[in-house]
Amino acid sequence: MKAIIGGTGFDRMEGLSLSQRVVRTRYGEVELYLGEGADEGLIFLPRHGSGHSVAPHMIDHRSNIQALADYHVTETVAIYAVGSVTNRLRPGEVGIVGDYVDFTGRVHTFFDEGTVKHARVDECFSPLLRDRARQARADLVDNLVYVTTNGPRLETKAEIAFFARQGFDVVGMTLGGEATLLAEKEIPHLGLVYSINWAAGVGEGSIAFISDERIEDMKGEITQLCRAILSI
Ligand code: HPA
């Protein structure tokens, strides 16, 4: 099985044959979409729920990732809307995450009972999926550093200036937990980011989001990219 995890802007995937399912995991229930016909073998998981009703700090990442593990998912492309902290990835551009920092303070682990285990996350993104993404689109900005904030508020200018000084490129509220849990389950993961705004104090100074029309175009582009990466 292959999975696409969608976030802000990607609560639905257009152009795929999917049917909704609510599945029960040992941690909680998860709403996901199973591919049918030509799209059989694909799972689409909207991390905020299909109506975008779950705030980033309230997402039950553990149930979500457990559901993918229960379906024996072996390849995951996860899409994250981000703010641009530096001009390595500018609003309207798509890139690949190479590393992450998690400043949320949330605990994300499957290893909190029984044997003590420490997952490695120093090379947690799949080189194979990354190569396929690079082959599909040579213009993708690569090796971005994603800093995860708790949200749901956006950041202060001082926070973003601090992140820029540390060498972080993009900011969002969800990748840290997901990447950690996927690593614990040893499920190969590609993080695709698309920037929808300059973060606080960057660019024109005040937070400016790209237009809804531009977001729609980017959704089309990214859907095509996911198809190429996962051969669907
Ligand atoms: N900050 C945090 N998360 C985000 C942003 C941002 O500016 N844009 C999209 N997700």
Side-chain angles (χ1 to χ4, degrees):
M1 286 290 240
K2 301 169 182 183
I4 298 174
I5 306 179
T8 301
F10 274 91
D11 301 315
R12 289 168 192 284
M13 293 288 295
E14 306 296 336
L16 298 172
S17 287
L18 300 167
S19 77
Q20 193 204 33
R21 224 16 102 79
V22 175
V23 298
R24 194 178 292 269
T25 72
R26 57 181 295 206
Y27 301 106
E29 287 188 345
V30 178
E31 175 194 1
L32 43 77
Y33 291 78
L34 296 181
E36 293 178 327
D39 292 322
E40 194 162 341
L42 176 73
I43 295 178
F44 172 63
L45 169 60
R47 72 168 71 81
H48 296 271
S50 61
H52 202 84
S53 53
V54 187
H57 65 297
M58 300 298 286
I59 295 173
D60 182 358
H61 290 291
R62 205 154 67 148
S63 296
N64 286 352
I65 303 309
Q66 184 64 49
L68 300 190
D70 291 347
Y71 273 99
H72 305 292
V73 165
T74 53
E75 298 183 347
T76 301
V77 177
I79 306 161
Y80 305 90
V82 292
S84 296
V85 172
T86 67
N87 59 14
R88 277 207 68 215
L89 188 82
R90 307 168 68 89
E93 293 180 341
V94 184
I96 300 173
V97 179
D99 208 344
Y100 70 95
V101 178
D102 190 345
F103 278 156
T104 63
R106 304 173 209 145
V107 177
H108 293 295
T109 187
F110 292 106
F111 299 155
D112 54 4
E113 52 190 46
T115 325
V116 176
K117 286 193 194 156
H118 303 285
R120 285 189 64 156
V121 286
D122 53 333
E123 282 171 18
C124 69
F125 296 103
S126 161
L128 176 75
L129 294 175
R130 172 185 173 274
D131 286 352
R132 286 199 217 145
R134 303 274 308 153
Q135 270 161 24
R137 264 190 64 174
D139 65 326
L140 295 178
V141 185
D142 205 352
N143 267 321
L144 293 163
V145 179
Y146 178 120
V147 56
T148 319
T149 55
N150 196 49
R153 71 165 176 82
L154 296 170
E155 299 71 32
T156 65
K157 288 188 219 166
E159 285 166 339
I160 294 296
F162 169 72
F163 293 161
R165 284 196 299 276
Q166 303 313 305
F168 310 156
D169 301 305
V170 293
V171 60
M173 300 173 191
T174 50
L175 179 137
E178 232 166 62
T180 303
L181 292 167
L182 285 163
E184 286 193 353
K185 291 289 187 193
E186 298 182 23
I187 299 175
H189 174 203
L190 178 77
L192 282 184
V193 286
Y194 73 108
S195 172
I196 58 170
N197 62 287
W198 288 115
V202 191
E204 282 122 51
S206 69
I207 300 175
F209 287 88
I210 61 175
S211 66
D212 290 348
E213 291 75 28
R214 183 73 192 105
I215 292 182
E216 280 307 309
D217 290 348
M218 293 191 83
K219 279 169 71 172
E221 274 175 44
I222 295 167
T223 304
Q224 287 314 315
L225 183 58
C226 289
R227 281 190 175 281
I229 297 167
L230 295 174
S231 312
I232 48 172

